[in-house]
């Protein structure tokens, strides 16, 4: 009986429910790992791509913000370098009258410079003239004499040997005890160097206005072609005397990078953006053990590069993506086999749509679709959509500011700020367009060259400010006398030039006499109540649409010469023959 009562022992095996749970748990672990990797890649891709897009727009914004500050000063310095009074003084420094006119011209421009200061070096004597915003050196503008044997004066001798129109140099002048961003413009008569002229921008003011811009996670640095730091939020990082320093002793942007491969990559980026002036490049580099996004742009007018360093983690908060991780963990923990089979539809497909939205943002379309489901992915989608819209708004704002600054720069480049008509460069460009139109329609054009008679006596009698008022009023009368499609410009000093469209000989004569009568018809009332009587000599000629501009100018200049030789205050029209 005892033998019969023995039964084989049953091996206990997990229940089907347990095995399903185990299988579901295994699927959960595998799927969770795959989802985590996909999610992490998605977040990193979104951060990198959005950060790169933001970096390019930020570099363009920094470039035009810095360019606006410096270009105006460089333009004024170039204009001063071409002033007849400066050229005459530089060629004959010891002549009292030329010296007085030259100093008066410098003082006139000093009030226009942002820093209210100037310097002027005359090449023959190497004398250095300077005055500051407080007019502290009035009557004593000659401060010292440069020497080629003095290393601290090497900036001058190096600059005059270059072909650049103007160069910038951050320097501390030991003789006058100031630290500035110096704008150095050579004074030339043809190929002959007569000296150097320019102004300075206080380094502290320049850093505060251009570099120390309150943007979280963003540092802007300006460097020269060798990588020497010219402007940095920390003044101690600025490399002074860059023009005369040995390359090994310079404080360069490359020294801030920890890896040699990053230094080589940054140098290559600078080379490429310099070759394509409107190009902007960006890449990640390592600084102080941390990855930052470096954007590089080139300021071709001044020969500097602006390097924008961005901490992407501060610009784009990764916490916005955290809810999706919690959502996936909750869904997968409570999921059944059906949930596992539907996982692709419920989670991965929606993540794919979010990734597609990232690609859409990369292409410049910030109107990303919003997931209608009110869950973690939906909130992430809305957060991403809100972030994309904010980036889009910032992008449009930056593009608008870039456009505004571009228009301001074009106005500085092509318009005369005193008379509000074209300058010589703007006139030549406008004339080319009008002559092309005239050539298509077979029309002839007329050209007037107007010289204000005895204008030097106006400046002598009423001062340069009075002379400026006279020129501004004459320009206003000139605009009123012309048709809407005619072109007027200040040719230089007290000369104006006018292009008359669709013009015949009689029309040209009538318009010329109309302008002459307008100039002399009524005295010009100055701000101080004094009146100035003005007349003008006018040379005029007709020209075919294919005739070279220099030949037209030569003919109309000959007509003006005849008008002035015949006693001034008259119109001479060059006959077609």
């Amino acid at each position: 009986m005892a033998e019969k009562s023995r039964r084989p022992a049953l091996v206990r095996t997990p229940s089907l429910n347990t095995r399903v749970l185990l299988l579901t748990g295994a699927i959960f672990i595998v799927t969770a790992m795959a989802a985590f990797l996909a999610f992490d890649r998605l977040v990193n891709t979104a951060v990198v791509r959005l950060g790169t897009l933001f970096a390019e727009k930020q570099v363009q914004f920094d470039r035009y913000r810095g360019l606006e500050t410096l270009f105006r000063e460089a333009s004024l310095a170039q204009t001063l370098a071409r002033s007849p009074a400066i050229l005459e003084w530089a060629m004959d420094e010891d002549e009292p009258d030329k010296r007085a006119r030259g100093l008066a011209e410098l003082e006139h421009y000093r009030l226009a410079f942002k820093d209210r200061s100037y310097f002027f070096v005359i090449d023959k004597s190497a004398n250095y003239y300077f005055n500051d915003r407080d007019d502290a050196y009035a009557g004593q503008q000659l401060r010292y004499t440069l020497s080629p044997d003095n290393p601290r004066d090497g900036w001058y001798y190096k600059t005059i040997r270059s072909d650049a129109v103007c160069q910038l140099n951050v320097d501390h002048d030991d003789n006058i005890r100031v630290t500035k961003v110096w704008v150095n413009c050579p004074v030339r008569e043809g190929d002959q160097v007569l000296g150097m002229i320019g102004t300075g921008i206080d380094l502290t003011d320049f850093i505060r206005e251009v570099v120390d811009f309150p943007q979280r996670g963003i540092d802007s640095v300006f460097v020269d072609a060798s990588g020497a730091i010219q402007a940095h939020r920390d003044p101690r990082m600025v490399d002074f005397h860059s023009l005369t320093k040995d390359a090994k002793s310079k404080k360069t942007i490359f020294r801030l990078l920890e890896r040699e491969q990053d230094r080589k990559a940054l140098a290559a980026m600078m080379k490429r953006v310099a070759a394509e002036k409107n190009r902007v490049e960006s890449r990640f580099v390592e600084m102080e053990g941390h990855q930052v996004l470096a954007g590089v742009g080139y300021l071709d007018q001044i020969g500097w590069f602006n390097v924008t360093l961005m901490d992407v983690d501060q610009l784009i908060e990764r916490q916005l993506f955290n809810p999706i991780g919690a959502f996936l963990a909750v869904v997968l923990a409570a999921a059944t086999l059906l949930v596992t089979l539907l996982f692709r539809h419920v989670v991965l497909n929606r993540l794919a749509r979010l990734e597609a939205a990232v690609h859409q943002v990369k292409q410049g379309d910030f109107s990303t679709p919003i997931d209608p489901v009110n869950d973690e992915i939906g909130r992430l989608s809305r957060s991403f959509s809100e972030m994309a819209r904010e980036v889009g708004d910032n992008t449009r704002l930056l593009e608008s500011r870039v456009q505004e600054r571009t228009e301001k720069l074009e106005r500085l480049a092509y318009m005369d700020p005193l008379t509000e008509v074209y300058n010589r460069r703007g006139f030549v460009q406008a004339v080319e367009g009008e002559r092309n139109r005239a050539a298509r329609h077979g029309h002839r054009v007329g050209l007037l060259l107007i010289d204000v008679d005895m204008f030097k006596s106006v400046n002598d009698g009423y001062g340069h400010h009075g002379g400026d008022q006279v020129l501004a009023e004459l320009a206003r009368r000139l605009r009123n006398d012309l048709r809407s499609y005619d072109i007027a410009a200040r040719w230089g000093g007290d000369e104006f030039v006018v292009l008359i469209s669709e013009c015949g000989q009689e029309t040209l004569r009538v318009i010329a006499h109309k302008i002459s009568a307008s100039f002399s018809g009524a005295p010009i009332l100055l701000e101080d109540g004094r009146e100035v009587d003005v007349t003008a000599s006018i040379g005029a000629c007709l020209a075919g649409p294919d005739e070279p501009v220099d030949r037209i100018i030569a003919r109309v200049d000959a007509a003006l010469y005849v008008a002035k030789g015949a006693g001034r205050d008259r119109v001479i029209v060059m006959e077609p023959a």
Side-chain angles (χ1 to χ4, degrees):
M1 181 66 70
E3 290 293 329
K4 290 183 179 178
S5 62
R6 290 181 180 179
R7 305 227 177 158
L10 297 175
V11 178
R12 295 182 61 86
T13 59
S15 66
L16 180 60
N17 184 55
T18 301
R19 282 182 286 170
V20 170
L21 289 176
L22 291 174
L23 178 60
T24 304
I27 294 175
F28 164 76
I29 293 174
V30 174
T31 307
M33 292 178 62
F36 173 79
L37 294 175
F39 175 71
D40 185 67
R41 179 181 179 185
L42 172 65
V43 172
N44 288 333
T45 301
V47 169
V48 170
R49 290 179 179 173
L50 288 175
T52 301
L53 180 63
F54 184 81
E56 294 177 354
K57 299 302 179 182
Q58 181 67 35
V59 168
Q60 291 180 352
F61 173 64
D62 286 344
R63 174 166 63 187
Y64 286 101
R65 179 160 53 86
L67 184 61
E68 183 181 27
T69 302
L70 295 170
F71 185 70
R72 176 183 179 274
E73 301 303 295
S75 296
L76 284 174
Q78 292 175 32
T79 303
L80 179 58
R82 296 191 296 267
S83 170
I86 296 298
L87 295 174
E88 291 176 2
W89 183 28
M91 289 185 288
D92 191 1
E93 182 181 3
D94 296 326
E95 208 282 322
D97 289 340
K98 294 179 181 179
R99 175 188 177 90
R101 287 195 298 270
L103 287 173
E105 188 77 345
L106 290 173
E107 291 299 320
H108 175 68
Y109 272 80
R110 180 174 67 85
L111 301 178
F113 286 128
K114 178 181 178 62
D115 192 59
R116 300 290 193 272
S117 68
Y118 65 79
F119 74 87
F120 181 32
V121 180
I122 297 180
D123 188 76
K124 286 184 178 179
S125 63
N127 286 336
Y128 183 98
Y129 294 82
F130 175 84
N131 203 356
D132 61 11
R133 67 169 58 246
D134 299 323
D135 200 20
Y137 303 108
Q140 300 177 359
Q141 288 91 336
L142 177 57
R143 305 310 307 155
Y144 60 95
T145 300
L146 277 64
S147 171
D149 299 325
N150 186 350
R152 297 305 301 275
D153 297 336
W155 63 269
Y156 170 77
Y157 298 97
K158 186 173 182 178
T159 302
I160 63 174
R161 289 194 299 268
S162 72
D163 296 327
V165 178
C166 284
Q167 283 193 354
L168 273 73
N169 183 34
V170 181
D171 198 356
H172 176 80
D173 194 312
D174 296 328
N175 292 282
I176 57 178
R177 295 186 295 277
V178 292
T179 302
K180 296 179 182 290
V181 180
W182 297 99
V183 179
N184 306 323
C185 297
V187 179
R188 292 187 173 93
E189 180 69 27
D191 295 331
Q192 181 184 3
V193 176
L194 301 180
M196 183 80 64
I197 208 162
T199 184
I201 301 174
D202 185 84
L203 181 61
T204 303
D205 294 340
F206 179 77
I207 290 176
R208 182 179 64 252
E209 295 177 8
V210 178
V211 180
D212 196 13
F213 200 73
Q215 289 179 290
R216 184 170 64 95
I218 299 175
D219 285 324
S220 296
V221 183
F222 287 78
V223 303
D224 63 13
S226 66
I229 299 175
Q230 302 299 295
H232 192 281
R233 182 172 295 178
D234 184 356
R236 294 173 298 179
M237 300 296 294
V238 176
D239 183 70
F240 298 99
H241 317 299
S242 297
L243 286 177
T244 56
K245 265 188 179 179
D246 180 77
K248 295 182 179 179
S249 61
K250 291 183 179 181
K251 298 177 182 178
T252 67
I253 187 70
F254 305 112
R255 294 190 176 183
L256 303 180
L257 306 180
E258 297 179 359
R259 300 183 300 186
E260 182 62 25
Q261 63 189 56
D262 289 339
R263 300 187 190 101
K264 292 180 179 179
L266 181 59
M269 289 166 61
M270 292 170 61
K271 184 176 181 180
R272 288 193 295 271
V273 298
E276 299 180 30
K277 297 177 182 177
N278 293 320
R279 181 172 178 173
V280 174
E281 288 194 17
S282 59
R283 79 183 303 270
F284 280 93
V285 297
E286 187 167 323
M287 295 179 62
E288 299 178 352
H290 184 64
Q291 289 282 321
V292 298
L293 188 61
V296 181
Y298 183 55
L299 309 180
D300 57 294
Q301 288 87 347
I302 58 176
W304 280 7
F305 295 86
N306 63 302
V307 181
T308 303
L309 305 173
M310 285 158 283
D311 188 339
V312 177
D313 291 334
Q314 292 190 42
L315 294 175
I316 305 175
E317 298 182 359
R318 294 176 183 267
Q319 292 85 343
L320 295 173
F321 298 91
N322 288 344
I324 185 60
F327 170 79
L328 290 176
V330 171
V331 170
L332 290 175
T336 61
L337 180 60
L338 179 60
V339 174
T340 304
L341 295 175
L342 294 177
F343 181 73
R344 178 180 295 275
H345 175 73
V346 174
V347 177
L348 294 183
N349 287 349
R350 296 168 68 189
L351 288 179
R353 287 194 294 270
L354 184 58
E355 186 172 15
V358 173
H359 287 284
Q360 182 178 335
V361 170
K362 180 184 177 183
Q363 299 299 322
D365 183 5
F366 300 97
S367 57
T368 57
I370 299 177
D371 195 317
V373 181
N374 187 22
D375 58 12
E376 285 82 352
I377 294 181
R379 289 194 292 273
L380 174 63
S381 175
R382 285 190 292 275
S383 297
F384 177 78
S385 297
E386 292 172 1
M387 181 175 63
R389 283 195 297 272
E390 184 174 348
V391 171
D393 292 339
N394 289 334
T395 298
R396 286 186 288 271
L397 177 61
L398 288 174
E399 290 174 346
S400 173
R401 290 180 176 177
V402 168
Q403 179 64 27
E404 290 176 3
R405 282 156 179 77
T406 300
E407 291 174 356
K408 289 180 180 179
L409 291 175
E410 289 178 350
R411 183 168 182 84
L412 284 173
Y414 297 111
M415 300 298 290
D416 180 65
L418 173 64
T419 60
E420 297 184 355
V421 297
Y422 283 115
N423 58 21
R424 184 185 291 253
R425 181 191 298 174
F427 178 76
V428 172
Q429 185 181 58
V431 165
E432 288 301 323
E434 179 59 29
R435 292 177 68 220
N436 291 336
R437 189 181 71 85
R440 290 194 301 270
H441 296 86
H443 297 149
R444 304 184 73 185
V445 296
L447 195 70
L448 304 177
L449 187 58
I450 305 168
D451 181 82
V452 182
D453 294 331
M454 308 300 291
F455 186 72
K456 182 178 180 301
S457 63
V458 175
N459 277 336
D460 293 342
Y462 300 91
H464 285 283
H465 184 61
D468 289 347
Q469 294 178 55
V470 170
L471 291 176
E473 172 61 19
L474 292 178
R476 186 193 66 80
R477 295 183 183 182
L478 181 60
R479 290 195 302 269
N480 292 339
D481 292 336
L482 298 177
R483 300 167 297 183
S484 61
Y485 45 85
D486 294 329
I487 300 171
R490 185 180 179 188
W491 194 243
D494 58 350
E495 288 186 341
F496 295 92
V497 63
V498 178
L499 182 76
I500 309 297
S501 302
E502 301 180 19
C503 182
Q505 190 79 0
E506 185 58 29
T507 301
L508 180 64
R509 191 182 305 277
V510 169
I511 293 177
H513 282 285
K514 180 180 178 182
I515 294 172
S516 178
S518 174
F519 277 24
S520 61
I524 295 175
L525 183 63
L526 302 182
E527 292 176 353
D528 59 7
R530 292 182 292 176
E531 294 183 346
V532 182
D533 291 318
V534 174
T535 63
S537 301
I538 301 177
C541 74
L542 287 176
D546 298 328
E547 188 172 355
V549 174
D550 54 352
R551 182 177 175 184
I552 303 173
I553 294 295
R555 292 202 293 117
V556 77
D557 189 57
L560 175 63
Y561 182 81
V562 174
K564 294 172 69 175
R568 296 186 175 88
D569 188 18
R570 64 193 63 238
V571 174
I572 296 297
V573 179
M574 181 75 73
E575 297 298 330

